[in-house]
Each structure stands twice: as C-alpha cells, then as structure tokens.
Amino acid sequence: MRGLKILSNVVLTLALVGCAGLSHMMKMPSDAVTGTLTYREKVALPDDAMVTVSLSDISLADAPARVISTVSFPAEGKSIPFDFSLPYSNAQIKGAQTITVSARITHGEKMLFKTTSLNEVLTHGKPAKMDIVLKQVKR
C-alpha cells in the first residue's frame, strides 16, 4: 500500500512538472519596439492632435505593408519628444525581411507631421529602439 502511495505521488509530480513545462512552451514570447518621436519645428500641437505609430513588415515590394502593431494616443498639449512602445510577438516577425516604424501626427483629418524616411528595426541587425524625427506636412 505504501508503495502505491509513493508511486501515485511520483506520477502526480511528473504530471505537474510536465504541465508546467508545456505551459511555458505555449506562451508567446512578446517584446516591444520602443523609441521617441520629435520634430524640428518650434510649434505647439493642438490639444486634440493624435499621435499614431506603427510597426510594419514591408518585405513584399508589390504588396501593401503588413501592420504588426499600432499605438495611437492624444497629444494632450504635451510637448515633444513623445515616447512610444509597439508590442509584437516573435511569431509576427518570423520570416520578415524588412520591419519598419512609421509615425504621423494628425489634427482631425489633417496630417501635421509624418515620417519621410525608412526607419528599419529588428531585421538586418537593426535595434529594437528607434528615435524618429518627423517632417512637417506642407499645407
């Protein structure tokens, strides 16, 4: 009887250890691309301006970019720089050739600032941190 109790405890322990290992394997690794947005012009943004930052896979030249992550937040009268964090999972970028960050600041339907250069991250040895200078959109 004592042997049966020990055996059942061993089986239960192995089952729990196995489940713990399995739950760890099932979790999706998640990271984030972080950085700041700024612009050179000395202008204040309207309080209700919106800041939008996107992480995209632009690997295919003849196809639209595949958006991996996007964050939007109101400027709320704050001054630059704006910090951002774009979460992603490794599964979302696996096999991607070119991952970029783009950003824009809008006021209603009007675009005020936007990225005008390629801001590559995560691929080709590029870091996961990007400080971006936006260009003012001419009216």
Side-chain angles (χ1 to χ4, degrees), residues 13 20 24-25 28 37 46 50 62 73 81 92 96 102 107 111 114 117:
T13 302
H24 173 70
M25 288 173 29
M28 296 285 287
L37 300 176
M50 287 297 294
D62 59 345
F73 52 90
Q92 290 176 294
S102 60
H107 183 236
M111 189 170 314
K114 67 178 185 174
S117 59

Side-chain angles (χ1 to χ4, degrees), residues 39 43-47 51 73-82:
Y39 50 82
V43 295
L45 293 174
D47 288 344
V51 180
F73 52 90
E76 296 179 331
K78 296 176 187 164
S79 60
I80 54 174
F82 292 107

Side-chain angles (χ1 to χ4, degrees), residues 82-99:
F82 292 107
D83 295 325
F84 67 85
S85 181
L86 294 162
Y88 69 91
S89 72
N90 289 332
Q92 290 176 294
I93 63 167
K94 186 176 181 179
Q97 298 298 312
T98 307
I99 304 290

